[in-house]
Amino acid sequence: MIVTRFAPSPNGPLHLGHAYAATVAHDLARGRGGSFRLRIEDIDGARSRSELVDEFLADMRWLGLDWDGEVAFQSARLESYAAAGERLKAMGLLYPCRCTRAEIAEAATATGPDGPVYPGTCRGRNVDPDGAAWRLDVAAAVALAGVLEWTDELAGTQCAAPEIFGDVVLLRKDLPASYHLAVTLDDAADGISLVTRGSDLFAASHIHRLLQALLDLPVPVWHHHGLLVEADGRKLAKRRGSPTLADRRQSGEDGKALTEALRAHRFPAGISLAEGLHSEPWHTY
Ligand code: GLU
């Protein structure tokens, strides 16, 4: 059975772009008799706001998008991330790094999907691991995993190219996880067979596919949908003044009618659906 998910981070209120993403994931599951899961990605302590979670659930109900089972919370799964981190360390694939963002920007000679590519400064160095971040030695990991492929329903089969990110952080200095590690483990734990998300995360799937191979996790199919963008082509974002779903809900707007409009690709003036934004830098960790 197909299982999709919507996995918002409670770093700010949901907006129309989230409503579109949730509708796509919900409809892909329901249209094929499958299951739709909701996961709250709340491990970013500095930015995560727990009071937003109730708003998210109210937004989903208002949109008429019902999910199956319990809501999953990443904050409840830190032990499983730490255990996977230990496993990768025992395989000799992680190394500690204390470089600052500024040092990396200064030393980088290439730009990847998330910005400056970490140039491997601490690889092979004797760095004090206490309080350090842990990076994946991508070359060693690829040598171990071999050639990998993954399939996006829309874009077709891809040859995994995790090296475009450089040695990504898998364990942050403040957290026994990072986005890449947590999301990969969670999609496996939640039985997600069709990873449905925006095309801004297309490239991230190269890393996730590698992690699946290293950690013996099942390999899903992906569906990276287009993003709602403003007239200047930039992704919708709260800071740029798009009304939030909570604002719309509280003003008495009909949420189910909004979902229907999104399904029909009827968007508010100045907003359109952009396909193929595969490399917009987005994640900060
Ligand atoms: N938590 C991420 C977000 O808020 C989505 C991660 C994913 O779908 O892989 O956009």
Side-chain angles (χ1 to χ4, degrees), residues 5-11 14 18 21 39-42 56 74 179 183-184 187 195-198 200-201 204-205 208 222 224-225 235 282-283 285:
R5 59 21 172 227
F6 176 55
S9 302
N11 301 335
L14 299 184
H18 295 107
R39 184 170 69 231
I40 305 296
E41 304 214 321
D42 58 346
F56 283 16
Q74 286 195 325
Y179 161 68
V183 82
T184 304
D187 283 335
V195 174
T196 307
R197 60 182 170 207
D200 51 342
L201 286 169
S205 301
H208 303 173
W222 281 260
H224 292 96
H225 57 75
K235 188 179 155 180
W282 180 72
H283 269 280
Y285 58 94

Side-chain angles (χ1 to χ4, degrees), residues 43-56:
I43 49 170
D44 195 351
R47 295 194 302 159
S48 209
R49 290 161 48 197
S50 58
E51 72 277 11
L52 285 175
V53 174
D54 286 345
E55 296 286 319
F56 283 16

Side-chain angles (χ1 to χ4, degrees), residues 197-269:
R197 60 182 170 207
S199 57
D200 51 342
L201 286 169
F202 187 91
S205 301
H206 291 299
I207 292 285
H208 303 173
R209 179 67 188 89
L210 175 60
L211 293 177
Q212 286 154 2
L214 298 174
L215 295 168
D216 301 313
L217 301 173
V219 182
V221 173
W222 281 260
H223 180 112
H224 292 96
H225 57 75
L227 299 178
L228 294 193
V229 294
E230 297 188 44
D232 60 4
R234 291 181 58 184
K235 188 179 155 180
L236 292 190
K238 172 68 176 74
R239 65 181 184 283
R240 307 184 67 221
S242 319
T244 68
L245 297 185
D247 292 341
R248 289 168 176 268
R249 174 164 50 80
Q250 281 152 12
S251 75
E253 189 178 329
D254 182 340
K256 291 186 178 138
L258 176 62
T259 303
E260 283 306 325
L262 294 172
R263 282 190 177 115
H265 287 189
R266 282 197 314 275
F267 307 116

Side-chain angles (χ1 to χ4, degrees), residues 261-283:
L262 294 172
R263 282 190 177 115
H265 287 189
R266 282 197 314 275
F267 307 116
I271 293 177
S272 58
L273 182 63
E275 306 286 352
L277 287 186
H278 291 169
S279 59
E280 181 182 323
W282 180 72
H283 269 280

